[in-house]
Amino acid sequence: MKADLIIPTYRPDDTFCLLLQKLQEQTFVVHRVLILNTEEALWREAVAKYPIEQCLQALPCEYTLYHVSKETFDHGGTRMYGADHSDADVVIFMTQDAVPADADLIERLAAGLEEPDTAVCYARQLPNENCRIVERYTRSFNYPDKSRKKGKDDIKELGIKTFFCSDVCAAYRVDLFRELGGFESPVIFNEDMFFAAKAVFAGYYVKYEADAKVIHSHNYTVKQQFHRNFDLAVSQTMHPEIFEQISSEVEGMKLVKSTMKYLCSIGKPHLIFELGIMCVGKYAGYWLGKRYKKLSRKQILKCTMSPDYWRRMWKQEVSDGNR
């Protein structure tokens, strides 16, 4: 089995260097690393500041660097560009801030795709050392220590979690990826989840591999949670075929209740206030995102974390209208 690793980058830093160093230790050596960098000038700044080129040259495989502009970057389209330049049996997508937890990451992901009915296999995300308690628990809630293969028959039990998948670190069978049309583009968010849903509805499976582990977490501010959940809700609203029949809000409430119970169990009920503030930011962004069609363009640009996506979409609407 030949596998290529595809990593979109934007202002790569020392964490990206650590990722590359950990790739040197993997028991399964990928055929090639494809880097999809946003803005060539920013790449030059990064390599002048961090030992990125040295880490790339030390890889036990080939690597190729592609540059895209910030205006044309798209979560689905840019990753599809990388996949189109791969001739491997498996493509693995990672983000620049996801660091392999051990030497078995790539091997475990590849093994998760050995069954021909499995379209995608995604890794477990473990928290960074500086991760706050609430976010640390969220990681354990979304990425438990037990693997699971999810298909159409699991929708009744798992709901929206059936389609949960993350391109922070996920491997795709190229034959099924292409058969199902790959990622959609343009897409503001959730290209991984939309593909997973498409695979499940087509009769294939999504594998969560708990033994394939990366270190990845964020300590988002309330404002960042607002922007992120606005875009999340926009993406869901654009896909009523999935989200009108299966609500993601139910899963959100499960997480909140479970987190509150956990905070009390560890003797830190005062952190429920922090949780509540975060929930306000998340829900406010989500509520507005669900109603984005009623907002002005100015209001949308204030709410989104992806202004270039909207400008590109509006520009395309004008172009289509002039035909």
Side-chain angles (χ1 to χ4, degrees):
M1 180 187 293
K2 185 164 70 172
D4 281 346
L5 177 59
I6 300 173
I7 310 174
T9 59
Y10 178 68
R11 298 183 185 275
D13 55 17
D14 52 353
T15 303
F16 181 56
C17 291
L18 182 57
L19 187 166
L20 295 175
Q21 291 167 4
K22 291 294 184 179
L23 288 179
Q24 299 168 25
E25 305 168 3
Q26 292 296 302
T27 55
F28 185 115
V29 179
V30 298
H31 170 247
R32 189 158 58 115
V33 175
L34 293 85
I35 299 169
L36 312 176
N37 178 69
T38 300
E39 296 296 344
E40 185 173 359
L42 296 178
W43 177 267
R44 290 196 298 268
E45 290 178 12
V47 297
K49 188 175 181 181
Y50 304 101
I52 295 172
E53 290 185 335
Q54 297 93 312
C55 292
L56 285 170
Q57 291 167 3
L59 289 173
C61 63
E62 303 174 17
Y63 75 89
T64 308
L65 173 64
Y66 300 97
H67 295 291
V68 299
S69 68
K70 190 176 180 182
E71 290 73 24
T72 59
F73 173 83
D74 177 76
H75 287 288
T78 300
R79 286 179 170 85
M80 280 298 295
Y81 178 82
D84 289 342
H85 283 78
S86 169
D87 63 353
D89 306 301
V90 169
V91 289
I92 301 168
F93 294 98
M94 291 182 69
T95 55
Q96 67 184 43
D97 57 349
V99 177
D102 53 40
D104 298 329
L105 172 67
I106 304 298
E107 183 177 353
R108 297 285 188 181
L109 286 174
L113 294 177
E114 287 178 350
E115 295 180 343
D117 59 0
T118 303
V120 54
C121 176
Y122 68 100
R124 183 182 181 188
Q125 295 182 33
L126 302 174
N128 286 291
E129 290 183 0
N130 66 346
C131 186
R132 293 195 296 258
I133 291 176
V134 171
E135 177 58 22
R136 186 176 293 272
Y137 181 76
T138 300
R139 279 284 172 271
S140 67
F141 183 88
N142 289 329
Y143 302 95
D145 58 6
K146 185 176 291 187
S147 301
R148 178 151 188 177
K149 190 174 176 180
K150 303 177 291 186
K152 196 182 296 185
D153 292 342
D154 296 300
I155 293 176
K156 185 175 181 180
E157 175 194 349
L158 298 178
I160 203 68
K161 271 290 186 71
T162 310
F163 314 129
F164 185 75
C165 181
S166 176
D167 277 346
V168 163
C169 187
Y172 294 76
R173 283 180 58 108
V174 171
D175 56 348
L176 297 183
F177 187 71
R178 290 177 176 157
E179 175 188 319
L180 295 168
F183 297 132
E184 67 175 76
S185 177
V187 62
I188 190 171
F189 205 65
N190 267 349
E191 82 290 335
D192 39 20
M193 191 170 181
F194 297 150
F195 177 84
K198 188 162 48 175
V200 167
F201 286 133
Y204 296 109
Y205 290 85
V206 174
K207 177 72 182 293
Y208 166 59
E209 182 50 71
D211 291 328
K213 296 170 285 189
V214 291
I215 309 297
H216 177 265
S217 61
H218 293 284
N219 288 321
Y220 286 126
T221 65
V222 176
K223 184 177 180 181
Q224 287 171 324
Q225 293 283 19
F226 172 89
H227 293 312
R228 183 177 177 81
N229 280 269
F230 177 85
D231 286 357
L232 172 67
V234 168
S235 72
Q236 292 185 1
T237 302
M238 291 179 173
H239 285 271
E241 75 280 4
I242 301 173
F243 296 99
E244 281 190 359
Q245 56 181 314
I246 305 173
S247 173
S248 64
E249 295 176 47
V250 173
E251 189 63 27
M253 285 305 301
K254 284 183 183 178
L255 172 58
V256 172
K257 291 177 181 178
S258 183
T259 306
M260 291 174 65
K261 184 177 180 180
Y262 170 73
L263 292 175
C264 290
S265 72
I266 64 172
K268 294 186 180 294
H270 60 280
L271 291 180
I272 292 176
F273 178 75
E274 175 189 322
L275 173 67
I277 295 297
M278 285 296 175
C279 288
V280 169
K282 286 182 177 182
Y283 189 74
Y286 186 85
W287 191 89
L288 285 170
K290 281 288 189 179
R291 294 157 180 80
Y292 79 94
K293 293 179 182 179
K294 298 180 180 180
L295 303 180
S296 67
R297 291 186 174 184
K298 185 176 181 180
Q299 289 172 322
I300 287 174
L301 290 177
K302 286 184 176 181
C303 292
T304 186
M305 65 176 183
S306 309
D308 289 317
Y309 165 85
W310 292 101
R311 294 189 183 102
R312 188 165 63 251
M313 292 293 290
W314 293 331
K315 185 178 181 180
Q316 185 61 45
E317 288 176 5
V318 172
S319 177
D320 292 343
N322 290 334
R323 290 178 182 175

